[in-house]
Amino acid sequence: MSMPADRSRPRESSSPPYGGMAAERLADDLLVEILARVPARSVCRFKWVSKDWLSLIDHPDHRRKLPQTLAGFFYTRSDNGELPLETEVRFAGVSGKRCPPVDTSFSFLPSHRRVDLLDCCNGLLLCRWYGVSSLGDEFCYIVCNPATKEWVSLPDRSHENKVGIERLGFDPTMSSHFYVFVLLENVNFNAYLSEVEVYSSETKRWVYKEIGWNKRIVLPAEQSSAVFLNGCLYFYSFGKRSPFFIGVVDTAGETSMNFHIPDNLNNGFIQHSQDCLHYAKFKRGDGNVVRLVVYVLEDYDRKKWKLKHSVKTSDIFGGTHVTDSDSFAIHPVDSRWIAIHPECNLIFFTVGSASTLMCYDMDRRQVKVICSLDGYLPRLPYVPLYAELQSLHT
């Protein structure tokens, strides 16, 4: 593979003939086209080949074509543990660096008093935008791309008086359009799921559907994980008299109680990693030994889970066992799942009241402390998207 043209050294006074410059540009363009078909993890490694490759890959004109990987996590800073009237969005990189790759002030959005982060999916952010108004907390939904500073506001929901849990669905490998899912609470039975609304950027309309399940299904927790995969939203829930399961909503608003979780391991964590649905959980076994287990859904038609990883928690945390396998609590402090890396076998979570962000490498069976997060949920994994989207233009 030919090396890209050297941009780190000034050219000599006698410029090469036009044909030579054209050949250099052609070589760079061909290399970019090749890298655009390589997994994001490999593209990141190629940055270390030489300064030429780093310059080529990080060039603004090329980033739009090249796949990106997990950069870090958005979260919101709190004062005295309370939600401030004016939010301060922060960013923690996977390496622990605090330098955000994008504008966390959201200055590219219209003048606002507060922006609440709701969800993030493949480079796009779903926000609840509160304008500067004397009429109180008037708000609207906004979907934006902080890397390109593009944004679009959504029309009002047809059932905006109903409480719901909002999730974003977007897959740039399938379509340039995004979807917003709102799982709605039953007005007669609080905290139970009864309807769903789905917004499509293609039709620019909301679709409202009642859920035909003949069971009282608990509305997913506001901070619970959900995954947009293969054109559907997967979420974790359970019924009043039914086992835990993973529900599915497609982009037309049709729902199904698609399949049960592996080995009846309740209160787990679902994520999308390496093109597959993953489920992680702490499991108590023989001799009261607690293990971290990670499953991958290898057969979607048969709903077949396969055990991918298993390790004693004492091996992860240096002799400290997880004492409450149902709530992921490491005695004596609380902990929370954050994400599974989309490209490799890394699990991110927080530990302690100071919310120390940590990473567990399943391949090396090692834990790394990244940084402390001085904010509140949600903590949203972010993969930059530098391509411009027509769906973010009104």
Side-chain angles (χ1 to χ4, degrees):
M1 185 177 294
S2 61
M3 299 289 287
D6 188 352
R7 295 170 183 77
S8 60
R9 299 191 304 269
R11 296 193 181 276
E12 298 177 359
S13 57
S14 56
S15 300
Y18 175 78
M21 296 175 62
E24 290 180 352
R25 287 197 299 269
L26 178 60
D28 287 1
D29 291 343
L30 287 175
L31 184 55
V32 170
E33 290 298 324
I34 294 173
L35 292 176
R37 292 162 173 79
V38 172
R41 186 181 182 185
S42 297
V43 173
C44 290
R45 289 176 175 175
F46 291 154
K47 291 182 180 181
W48 296 94
V49 171
S50 68
K51 292 182 178 179
D52 296 333
W53 282 55
L54 174 62
S55 175
L56 181 83
I57 293 172
D58 282 347
H59 195 283
D61 291 342
H62 299 153
R63 288 187 305 184
R64 299 178 182 179
K65 298 181 180 180
L66 299 178
Q68 304 295 320
T69 191
L70 182 68
F73 306 91
F74 282 109
Y75 65 101
T76 309
R77 183 178 179 272
S78 61
D79 294 322
N80 300 322
E82 298 180 356
L83 181 68
L85 293 178
E86 296 181 359
T87 56
E88 180 185 351
V89 177
R90 292 192 172 186
F91 187 86
V94 292
S95 63
K97 294 181 179 179
R98 298 287 184 173
C99 300
V102 295
D103 178 12
T104 57
S105 69
F106 294 93
S107 59
F108 57 90
L109 294 181
S111 180
H112 54 274
R113 182 170 57 84
R114 196 171 89 214
V115 174
D116 291 346
L117 305 183
L118 301 176
D119 200 10
C120 186
C121 187
N122 289 317
L124 300 188
L125 276 171
L126 172 63
C127 311
R128 189 183 290 119
W129 174 90
Y130 292 88
V132 180
S133 172
S134 60
L135 300 178
D137 274 350
E138 288 190 320
F139 74 90
C140 71
Y141 293 119
I142 282 182
V143 174
C144 67
N145 182 348
T148 62
K149 300 184 179 181
E150 297 175 302
W151 63 274
V152 65
S153 60
L154 276 55
D156 293 339
R157 288 168 32 211
S158 57
H159 294 72
E160 60 179 1
N161 60 319
K162 294 187 177 182
V163 177
I165 302 300
E166 304 96 336
R167 293 293 182 264
L168 177 63
F170 173 65
D171 185 351
T173 65
M174 296 182 61
S175 171
S176 61
H177 291 286
F178 65 83
Y179 303 88
V180 175
F181 300 82
V182 184
L183 307 177
L184 297 173
E185 184 180 72
N186 190 311
V187 294
N188 297 316
F189 301 97
N190 291 341
Y192 287 103
L193 180 62
S194 62
E195 302 110 353
V196 62
E197 282 190 277
V198 182
Y199 175 83
S200 167
S201 65
E202 184 174 14
T203 63
K204 295 181 173 58
R205 296 178 59 186
W206 289 94
V207 173
Y208 169 81
K209 293 286 183 69
E210 293 185 357
I211 294 178
W213 301 339
N214 295 320
K215 298 180 179 180
R216 292 186 184 179
I217 303 301
V218 174
L219 191 72
E222 186 172 356
Q223 309 303 340
S224 65
S225 57
V227 171
F228 185 72
L229 180 63
N230 299 328
C232 294
L233 182 75
Y234 295 79
F235 63 93
Y236 174 82
S237 190
F238 62 95
K240 185 176 182 180
R241 294 184 177 87
S242 63
F244 288 75
F245 67 95
I246 294 178
V248 182
V249 183
D250 65 21
T251 54
E254 300 296 335
T255 58
S256 64
M257 296 172 62
N258 203 29
F259 43 79
H260 294 294
I261 59 177
D263 293 346
N264 295 318
L265 296 173
N266 300 341
N267 295 329
F269 174 68
I270 61 171
Q271 281 283 282
H272 175 207
S273 177
Q274 302 170 76
D275 296 326
C276 293
L277 194 66
H278 283 61
Y279 186 88
K281 170 72 171 128
F282 283 106
K283 175 183 178 181
R284 190 179 301 277
D286 297 336
N288 211 32
V289 175
V290 179
R291 306 183 71 90
L292 165 65
V293 291
V294 181
Y295 290 81
V296 59
L297 187 65
E298 63 174 8
D299 190 331
Y300 284 79
D301 294 330
R302 297 181 180 180
K303 319 297 192 290
K304 185 178 180 181
W305 294 93
K306 178 183 178 181
L307 180 63
K308 176 177 179 176
H309 185 80
S310 176
V311 62
K312 293 180 182 179
T313 56
S314 58
D315 294 338
I316 301 177
F317 299 106
T320 303
H321 283 280
V322 174
T323 58
D324 184 356
S325 62
D326 288 333
S327 64
F328 182 21
I330 301 174
H331 185 76
V333 291
D334 192 20
S335 301
R336 291 182 181 272
W337 301 105
I338 300 297
I340 298 179
H341 197 290
E343 300 289 339
C344 53
N345 297 323
L346 301 177
I347 302 179
F348 297 89
F349 55 93
T350 58
V351 175
S353 58
S355 294
T356 301
L357 178 63
M358 305 182 72
C359 173
Y360 172 63
D361 188 327
M362 288 184 272
D363 295 330
R364 299 180 179 179
R365 295 176 176 259
Q366 295 177 349
V367 172
K368 175 184 177 182
V369 175
I370 299 177
C371 65
S372 294
L373 304 179
D374 56 346
Y376 56 84
L377 300 174
R379 284 142 187 168
L380 303 176
Y382 174 65
V383 177
L385 177 70
Y386 294 100
E388 295 184 356
L389 300 176
Q390 188 62 36
S391 59
L392 294 181
H393 294 270
T394 54

